[in-house]
Coordinates of all heavy atoms in Angstrom, one line a residue:
Q67 N 43.6 133.0 159.6 CA 44.7 132.2 159.0 C 46.0 132.4 159.6 O 46.4 133.7 159.7 CB 44.7 132.4 157.5 CG 45.7 131.4 156.8 CD 45.7 131.5 155.3 OE1 44.9 132.4 154.8 NE2 46.5 130.8 154.6
L70 N 53.2 133.3 158.7 CA 54.4 133.9 159.0 C 55.1 134.5 157.6 O 55.1 133.6 156.7 CB 55.5 133.1 159.7 CG 55.2 132.6 161.0 CD1 56.2 131.5 161.5 CD2 55.4 133.8 161.9
E72 N 58.4 136.1 155.9 CA 59.8 136.7 156.0 C 60.1 137.8 154.9 O 59.5 137.7 153.8 CB 60.8 135.6 155.9 CG 60.8 134.5 156.9 CD 60.0 133.3 156.2 OE1 59.2 133.6 155.3 OE2 60.2 132.2 156.6
L77 N 70.7 140.2 147.8 CA 72.2 140.0 147.4 C 73.0 141.0 148.2 O 72.7 142.2 148.1 CB 72.4 140.2 145.9 CG 73.7 140.2 145.3 CD1 74.5 138.8 145.6 CD2 73.7 140.5 144.0
L84 N 72.4 142.3 156.5 CA 71.1 142.4 156.1 C 70.3 142.2 157.3 O 70.7 141.5 158.3 CB 70.7 141.1 155.2 CG 71.1 141.2 153.7 CD1 71.0 139.7 153.0 CD2 70.5 142.3 153.0
C88 N 60.3 138.9 160.2 CA 59.4 137.8 160.1 C 58.1 138.4 160.8 O 58.1 138.6 162.1 CB 59.9 136.6 160.9 SG 58.7 135.3 161.2
E110 N 71.3 120.1 154.3 CA 70.0 120.0 155.1 C 69.7 121.4 155.7 O 70.6 122.2 156.0 CB 70.1 118.9 156.1 CG 70.2 117.5 155.5 CD 70.1 116.4 156.6 OE1 70.2 116.8 157.8 OE2 70.1 115.3 156.2
V114 N 69.6 128.4 162.9 CA 70.6 129.5 163.0 C 70.5 130.1 164.4 O 71.5 130.4 165.0 CB 70.2 130.5 161.9 CG1 71.2 131.7 162.0 CG2 70.5 129.8 160.5
P122 N 63.4 138.1 180.2 CA 63.7 138.4 178.9 C 63.9 137.0 178.1 O 64.0 135.9 178.7 CB 65.2 138.9 179.1 CG 65.7 138.3 180.3 CD 64.5 138.2 181.3
A146 N 59.5 139.3 164.4 CA 60.9 138.8 164.9 C 61.8 139.3 163.9 O 61.5 139.5 162.6 CB 60.9 137.3 165.1
M150 N 71.9 140.3 160.5 CA 73.1 139.6 160.1 C 74.2 140.6 159.6 O 74.0 141.3 158.7 CB 72.7 138.6 158.9 CG 71.5 137.7 159.3 SD 71.1 136.6 157.9 CE 70.7 137.6 156.7
P155 N 80.1 134.1 152.3 CA 79.5 133.4 151.3 C 78.7 132.2 151.8 O 77.7 131.7 151.3 CB 80.6 133.0 150.4 CG 81.5 134.2 150.5 CD 81.4 134.5 152.0
Y162 N 64.4 130.8 156.8 CA 63.0 130.6 157.3 C 62.8 131.0 158.7 O 63.7 130.7 159.5 CB 62.6 129.1 157.2 CG 62.7 128.6 155.7 CD1 63.9 128.0 155.3 CD2 61.6 128.6 154.8 CE1 64.0 127.4 153.9 CE2 61.8 128.0 153.5 CZ 62.9 127.5 153.2 OH 63.0 126.9 151.9
H166 N 56.8 128.3 167.5 CA 56.5 127.2 168.2 C 55.8 127.7 169.6 O 56.4 128.5 170.3 CB 57.7 126.4 168.6 CG 57.5 125.3 169.6 ND1 56.5 124.4 169.6 CD2 58.0 125.2 170.9 CE1 56.5 123.6 170.6 NE2 57.5 124.1 171.4
T191 N 71.8 135.9 149.4 CA 72.9 135.6 148.5 C 74.1 136.5 149.0 O 73.9 137.7 149.0 CB 72.6 135.8 147.0 OG1 71.4 135.1 146.7 CG2 73.7 135.4 146.2

Side-chain angles (χ1 to χ4, degrees):
Q67 183 178 0
L70 290 171
E72 304 97 333
L77 171 64
L84 287 172
C88 172
E110 292 187 355
V114 175
M150 306 186 297
Y162 301 90
H166 168 58
T191 304

